[in-house]
Amino acid sequence: MAKQSLDPINKIVAEFQAGRINRRDFLRLLGGLSAGAAFASVPAVAARAPRMNVAPAAAAQPTPQLMIYGGAQDIASLDPFDRTDYSISAIMRQVYDRLFRFEGGWPQPVEPGLAQTWSASEDASEWTFEITDAAVFHDGTPLTADDVVFSYQQTLKAQKQRSSLLAGFLAPEGIVAKDSKTVVMTLTTPYGSFDRLLAFLEQPIVNKALALANEVDGDGGAAYLIDKDAGSGPFKVTNWQVGSSYELEAVEDYWQGWPGESHLSGVVWRKTEDVGTRKTGLLAGDFDVADTISATDIAEIDANATTFTNVDYGLLGGYLKYNTQSGPTADVNFRKFLAYSFDKQAFSDSQSGYVKLMTGPLPEGVPGYDAALDPQYSYDPVKAKEHLDMTEYKDGGIALDFVYVSGLDFEEAGGLILLAELQKYNITLNLVPKNWPDIVGACTAPETGPAIAFIFDQFPPLGDTWLIEKYSSKSWDRPTGGSFQACSFYKNEEVDAKLDTLRVTVDPDEAAKIVAEVQTQISEDAPDLPLYVSPNIVGFNKRVKGFVYAGDISVDFWRLWIDDAT
Amino acid sequence: MLRFLARRLLIIPVILIGLSLTTFIVSRLVPGDPVKLAAGPQARPEQIQKLAEEFGMDKPLAEQYLTYMGGLFQGNWGYSISTKRAVGPDLLTYFTATLELTLVSTLLGLVIGIPLAIVSARWRDRWPDHFSRFISIGAVSIPVFWIAIVLQIILAQNLRLLPVGGRFDPRAGFPDTFTGMLLLDTAVSGNWQAFGIALRYMILPAFCQSLLVIAVVTRQLRGDMLDIVKKDFVLVARANGIPERTIWTRYLMKNALIATVSMLGFLIGFELGGSVLIEYVLDWPGIGQYALKAALLLDFQPIMGATLFIGCVVVIINLITDLLYRVIDPRIGFN
């Protein structure tokens, strides 16, 4: 199952469009091709295109500069075997290399990283990865297959957050190094999209020798690595001020080179939790980049002479989850009544239009996304009344709880829109703001689950994972209870069976067919109202160049450089 | 004095045990599942179980409390279930930032508040008094986070005189510290350039935080001075021809400061534990933010650690205040 099949010209064009080749190199490569000088070696050239930027024509290169990044989230830990918060992942991407790159554009393509080539057995139960021999850790040690094996095994053994999805397919003993450059993973459950899953999970590849030299109680060096690095990425950790600022310094001779006209000399991640302070910092010039900008600040930032914003949509979907096991929402007609009663456009207006309304359980960017899915539950008071009349609550006189995260205005706005509509039917909607841990706790079981909860979900861009975690009854009907993602407590035996089949289906066409069927059935049962995909809004100073959106809240520092001339 | 000190020191453990028990009960009574939250949304049952065992959350509550307190007596403040970081070193890091801010803001509050109070009382019901009362009432009635935001926009965004937040210029590189208090460390090491940068970053948060001190000190001291100015000894002093300035700054001030010093201990304790909003808006990495984040995540050991740590410091500050109180006014005595 070879993955690199693009012809040379297309590949160079794709590399250019993804931002990994600058215009100068793009033209040079095309020129080279037309001259026929390097035709035979083009695949290799293209695969390593970034390295060619190491020595571009130097005359006009801006000097590498330090970039100050205002990040909304603290970076609580650099433990490569534990958490995957967006801030942690953003730094990990810079400090460590992964088997695959997953930041070349949007929707996210799976691209070679440390794994230069990879293949799977026919039944997708055994995956082989050929590791580059060019990668070097920051201490000068060459990166080998042994380091890859150690990193994955340690994550699985640690059983922390990072292992959650991986553990469903892989056990530590299923990962072996065939030789110094070849890793073989034998899955416990065959999985046709395993490469895509690995790309999404972004396991940092750790310098095994360094980690083990600092190991305590068999932790694989996790405690040591909590604020230090053992990576081979384009940046290394230089200063780590807990709760305040985190400094990275560029590795000049990074093995993949630098894709832009220049590169950053370093990055300081300034933790700035207040959204107003991030905006002010950007406008004041204290920050070169600030993430998670409020939609209401976009106009002000864009109007400023030195700053601009980038608005894109990723995989963070907002859902109104109905408790399908308890109370009025256990009645499918009542759920449909609620779904048709929600004015999505009013919600979009309340967010200044910076939302992408969803058409079904899967958001755009996930394979299986269906823009024409039916039904989609657009606001329709006539249909809403029809469905209400089919329930025992047609005269109203009931009260429902609408639970949302305390302090999140956009979630409250959703509640207010529904509240106003339900009043017309003599139904009271109690808006109940709660702290996030309370909501997580309440979503454990149907008995404690709220009638309606505003929940955000994000999964890998894999249809099966997305659907299973939310809509399989196995995700909540179990001894440890459900996660907030399964807060609808949805149970449809037919859907359960299809999702079970989907997980082990290797044939992509067959999998796509099941995804389509399941989506339609779920939509018909209306266990939730897929509402919208949240925007990722990033503010930039105009001197920052090279940004390529890749579906993430943060940005890829490797691609950026600062040019004061523009 | 020694008996007084011993008596007060003996009470401290009782207070702290009471505080720990209250914090433990309250933090464990609130709904929510900290283990499930820390394990993450896609956690498998065995992961949740492992995490619960690792942090002793599968044990009965009484056992959890005793284990935690046992560890505490051995100097182990525990670990965050969320970040897996050791709580003790983190508390020190965050607390020193808050302590530095509190000391500077209190000093600033006194430097501004005491002269304002004297001026206000000396020229009662005249324009200096009106001005002083306007300042003190405004400082206590306008939300301090709002003032912080306004000053941030004016001084940082528009005039670019001060940074929007943080403790140090990231472009200058964080200086080496040994106490965690940047002003002190840079001054002691003679790194005056870094001292200047740290001072620049301190101005906005310290000023905002000092507003409460200014308000309280001005009003308290003014009122006490106006009471004392009617006393016989002041009349006698005036009759003896002692200059008015000396009467106000020495005789009146010394007597009027007693209540203010008592209030100051309370204020410092309040600032140490209650500066969350300032820390949040001005991005000051202090213990308030640390405790708030732990509370929002139901991260039990950091919650306990932060509460007990702040509790310890407040108890010690109260003790110092009580001693100071008696030094200023020996009539109170130690009995």
Side-chain angles (χ1 to χ4, degrees):
Chain A
M1 200 189 279
K3 303 286 179 180
Q4 297 177 53
S5 58
L6 290 175
D7 70 72
I9 292 176
N10 280 346
K11 185 140 196 171
I12 292 171
V13 171
E15 294 283 316
F16 173 63
Q17 286 174 337
R20 289 186 301 278
I21 304 181
N22 61 34
R23 186 176 285 106
R24 187 184 299 125
D25 285 341
F26 172 65
L27 294 172
R28 189 154 55 86
L29 281 170
L30 281 186
L33 273 181
S34 62
F39 186 78
S41 61
V42 159
V45 169
R48 297 184 181 193
R51 303 191 72 183
M52 302 189 69
N53 296 304
V54 174
Q61 260 197 0
T63 310
Q65 292 188 50
L66 183 70
M67 186 181 83
I68 311 299
Y69 185 95
Q73 199 176 59
D74 194 15
I75 305 169
S77 164
L78 271 188
D79 178 352
F81 315 116
D82 190 1
R83 291 170 56 159
T84 54
D85 310 29
Y86 95 82
S87 57
I88 292 173
S89 298
I91 293 294
M92 286 294 189
R93 254 174 241 135
Q94 314 306 321
V95 173
Y96 292 88
D97 284 304
R98 294 91 64 209
L99 284 187
F100 303 100
R101 287 204 162 279
F102 208 18
E103 72 245 21
W106 179 256
Q108 297 160 318
V110 178
E111 299 160 319
L114 291 171
Q116 294 293 285
T117 61
W118 62 99
S119 59
S121 59
E122 276 303 314
D123 66 350
S125 65
E126 187 178 285
W127 289 75
T128 305
F129 307 91
E130 296 297 332
I131 310 299
T132 178
D133 56 5
V136 180
F137 287 113
H138 296 152
D139 66 357
T141 313
L143 186 152
T144 68
D146 211 23
D147 297 301
V148 177
V149 172
F150 167 76
S151 304
Y152 277 99
Q153 283 184 335
Q154 192 55 41
T155 288
L156 288 165
K157 285 178 193 166
Q159 292 192 335
K160 295 175 185 169
Q161 269 193 32
R162 190 177 283 282
S163 72
S164 297
L165 284 172
L166 194 62
F169 300 98
L170 196 58
E173 56 276 14
I175 313 165
V176 292
K178 244 169 90 176
D179 55 51
S180 68
K181 296 296 159 202
T182 312
V183 175
V184 177
M185 295 187 186
T186 306
L187 309 190
T188 51
T189 308
Y191 191 39
S193 302
F194 188 62
D195 51 349
R196 199 163 184 81
L197 179 68
L198 292 186
F200 179 81
L201 295 177
E202 298 187 303
Q203 172 62 49
I205 303 306
V206 178
N207 183 336
K208 179 183 174 184
L210 181 58
L212 290 183
N214 294 283
E215 186 174 41
V216 179
D217 298 333
D219 71 346
Y224 169 79
L225 292 172
I226 208 160
D227 54 8
K228 297 177 190 68
D229 86 71
S232 58
F235 293 88
K236 56 187 174 186
V237 174
T238 50
N239 198 331
W240 210 249
Q241 297 296 325
V242 174
S244 172
S245 63
Y246 308 97
E247 294 180 31
L248 306 178
E249 182 184 276
V251 177
E252 279 296 328
D253 55 350
Y254 175 52
W255 68 277
Q256 292 200 80
W258 298 88
E261 288 176 19
S262 179
H263 64 84
L264 302 172
S265 65
V267 178
V268 177
W269 180 290
R270 263 282 312 279
K271 185 220 66 175
T272 311
E273 292 185 340
D274 181 48
V275 64
T277 305
R278 285 198 299 284
K279 178 203 72 175
T280 309
L282 187 70
L283 294 175
D286 283 17
F287 303 148
D288 296 306
V289 180
D291 68 34
T292 328
I293 293 292
S294 166
T296 54
D297 292 332
I298 290 175
E300 185 182 358
I301 293 171
D302 286 344
N304 185 46
T306 58
T307 54
F308 69 98
T309 53
N310 185 84
V311 183
D312 264 304
Y313 296 86
L315 294 171
L316 192 60
Y319 295 73
L320 298 186
K321 307 244 180 195
Y322 309 130
N323 187 336
T324 61
Q325 301 295 317
S326 173
T329 46
D331 184 333
V332 65
N333 281 307
F334 192 79
R335 297 200 297 270
K336 288 184 177 181
F337 153 70
L338 289 174
Y340 280 122
S341 294
F342 192 88
D343 188 345
K344 290 181 180 176
Q345 193 52 50
F347 179 76
S348 174
D349 294 345
S350 75
Q351 303 306 304
S352 310
Y354 289 107
V355 299
K356 185 184 274 186
L357 295 176
M358 290 176 73
T359 58
L362 298 180
E364 197 176 346
V366 177
Y369 161 73
D370 185 358
L373 187 69
D374 183 46
Q376 291 194 11
Y377 303 107
S378 299
Y379 175 61
D380 189 335
V382 176
K383 281 188 180 170
K385 185 74 173 84
E386 279 173 17
H387 285 287
L388 181 64
D389 287 344
M390 287 186 241
T391 72
E392 59 181 293
Y393 313 103
K394 59 185 175 187
D395 298 323
I398 56 169
L400 302 169
D401 281 352
F402 180 99
V403 169
Y404 65 100
V405 178
S406 177
L408 293 186
D409 294 343
F410 55 91
E411 295 196 354
E412 188 179 24
L416 288 169
I417 288 166
L418 190 58
L419 180 149
E421 191 67 20
L422 295 191
Q423 278 177 345
K424 298 173 186 170
Y425 304 96
N426 189 29
I427 294 172
T428 305
L429 192 69
N430 301 319
L431 300 195
V432 186
K434 283 192 173 185
N435 285 332
W436 182 236
D438 298 357
I439 296 177
V440 172
C443 287
T444 298
E447 298 77 41
T448 53
I452 307 170
F454 201 134
I455 300 283
F456 269 92
D457 279 352
Q458 183 169 16
F459 292 100
L462 297 164
D464 59 333
T465 305
W466 202 283
L467 295 171
I468 288 166
E469 296 289 338
K470 271 206 290 280
Y471 301 110
S472 169
S473 67
K474 290 177 182 172
S475 297
W476 64 269
D477 195 6
R478 57 188 183 187
T480 50
S483 78
F484 63 88
Q485 292 160 333
C487 204
S488 292
F489 312 106
Y490 176 57
K491 189 166 198 165
N492 179 320
E493 285 175 4
E494 198 183 330
V495 170
D496 278 351
K498 282 184 177 169
L499 289 176
D500 286 347
T501 309
L502 179 62
R503 170 116 297 174
V504 293
T505 301
V506 176
D507 178 21
D509 294 335
E510 183 59 25
K513 185 167 164 269
I514 299 173
V515 166
E517 289 170 4
V518 168
Q519 271 198 99
T520 305
Q521 183 61 55
I522 291 170
S523 226
E524 189 54 46
D525 290 344
D528 56 21
L529 179 68
L531 185 52
Y532 81 109
V533 175
S534 176
N536 289 325
I537 308 172
V538 185
F540 293 88
N541 190 300
K542 286 179 179 169
R543 67 195 201 121
V544 177
K545 309 292 179 189
F547 172 67
V548 176
Y549 180 68
D552 195 49
I553 295 170
S554 184
V555 304
D556 182 8
F557 306 148
W558 178 54
R559 297 179 187 286
L560 305 181
W561 73 95
I562 289 175
D563 188 350
D564 286 319
T566 50
Chain B
M1 180 177 172
L2 284 177
R3 280 185 63 192
F4 170 81
L5 204 58
R7 209 166 53 234
R8 297 300 299 268
L9 286 173
L10 279 175
I11 295 171
I12 289 177
V14 180
I15 293 172
L16 293 179
I17 287 172
L19 182 64
S20 71
L21 208 53
T22 310
T23 311
F24 181 83
I25 292 168
V26 169
S27 65
R28 303 314 299 274
L29 279 182
V30 293
D33 186 341
V35 178
K36 193 173 270 188
L37 196 71
Q42 285 112 21
R44 302 161 73 77
E46 59 270 24
Q47 280 177 265
I48 296 171
Q49 183 60 29
K50 183 173 183 279
L51 194 61
E53 286 169 11
E54 205 176 311
F55 281 82
M57 306 288 272
D58 56 338
K59 301 279 192 311
L61 282 182
E63 190 179 337
Q64 286 184 41
Y65 175 74
L66 291 174
T67 307
Y68 177 78
M69 292 305 285
L72 206 57
F73 283 119
Q74 293 167 34
N76 179 8
W77 290 81
Y79 288 83
S80 157
I81 194 170
S82 165
T83 67
K84 318 293 184 302
R85 295 183 62 87
V87 173
D90 276 1
L91 280 177
L92 268 183
T93 305
Y94 286 97
F95 177 72
T96 48
T98 298
L99 183 64
E100 182 178 39
L101 176 60
T102 301
L103 292 177
V104 174
S105 63
T106 305
L107 192 65
L108 189 64
L110 292 176
V111 167
I112 297 172
I114 291 176
L116 265 183
I118 295 173
V119 165
S120 184
R122 174 73 181 80
W123 287 281
R124 186 184 181 183
D125 290 334
R126 291 166 67 183
W127 74 263
D129 186 28
H130 296 317
F131 173 74
S132 162
R133 284 156 70 188
F134 174 77
I135 295 288
S136 59
I137 291 171
V140 80
S141 53
I142 301 173
V144 74
F145 71 88
W146 183 82
I147 294 175
I149 291 170
V150 170
L151 290 177
Q152 205 177 40
I153 291 171
I154 296 171
L155 298 174
Q157 184 182 323
N158 295 343
L159 300 176
R160 302 204 173 189
L161 292 174
L162 295 173
V164 290
R167 278 189 89 188
F168 202 78
D169 184 356
R171 288 190 168 86
F174 208 82
D176 292 333
T177 64
F178 46 92
T179 67
M181 291 193 269
L182 294 185
L183 288 175
L184 180 67
D185 293 345
T186 51
V188 168
S189 61
N191 187 351
W192 296 110
Q193 190 185 358
F195 178 84
I197 296 171
L199 189 62
R200 194 165 163 264
Y201 275 75
M202 174 63 82
I203 292 172
L204 200 50
F207 175 73
C208 292
Q209 183 131 313
S210 72
L211 289 174
L212 180 67
V213 182
I214 292 171
V216 172
V217 167
T218 306
R219 289 182 66 78
Q220 179 75 45
L221 199 55
R222 175 185 176 277
D224 289 345
M225 281 181 142
L226 288 175
D227 279 345
I228 295 167
V229 78
K230 297 170 192 158
K231 303 270 182 190
D232 291 345
F233 75 91
V234 179
L235 193 67
V236 171
R238 281 192 176 129
N240 283 323
I242 295 174
E244 200 67 9
R245 175 179 291 188
T246 311
I247 290 172
W248 279 91
T249 54
R250 286 182 58 187
Y251 292 86
L252 280 170
M253 257 280 282
K254 191 176 176 186
N255 284 282
L257 265 178
I258 296 169
T260 305
V261 166
S262 171
M263 184 66 80
L264 210 57
F266 168 77
L267 276 178
I268 291 175
F270 180 79
E271 284 183 77
L272 285 174
S275 52
V276 178
L277 284 173
I278 288 287
E279 289 180 1
Y280 185 75
V281 172
L282 297 176
D283 201 28
W284 192 265
I287 201 164
Q289 281 211 60
Y290 180 76
L292 175 69
K293 206 175 294 175
L296 289 175
L297 292 171
L298 294 183
D299 203 344
F300 160 69
Q301 297 194 3
I303 294 173
M304 289 290 287
T307 311
L308 287 175
F309 200 90
I310 293 171
C312 275
V313 175
V314 169
V315 166
I316 290 167
I317 287 171
N318 279 337
L319 180 62
I320 294 170
T321 308
D322 279 353
L323 288 174
L324 209 59
Y325 196 61
R326 284 158 176 80
V327 170
I328 293 174
D329 188 355
R331 290 172 301 172
I332 295 168
F334 290 96
N335 295 318

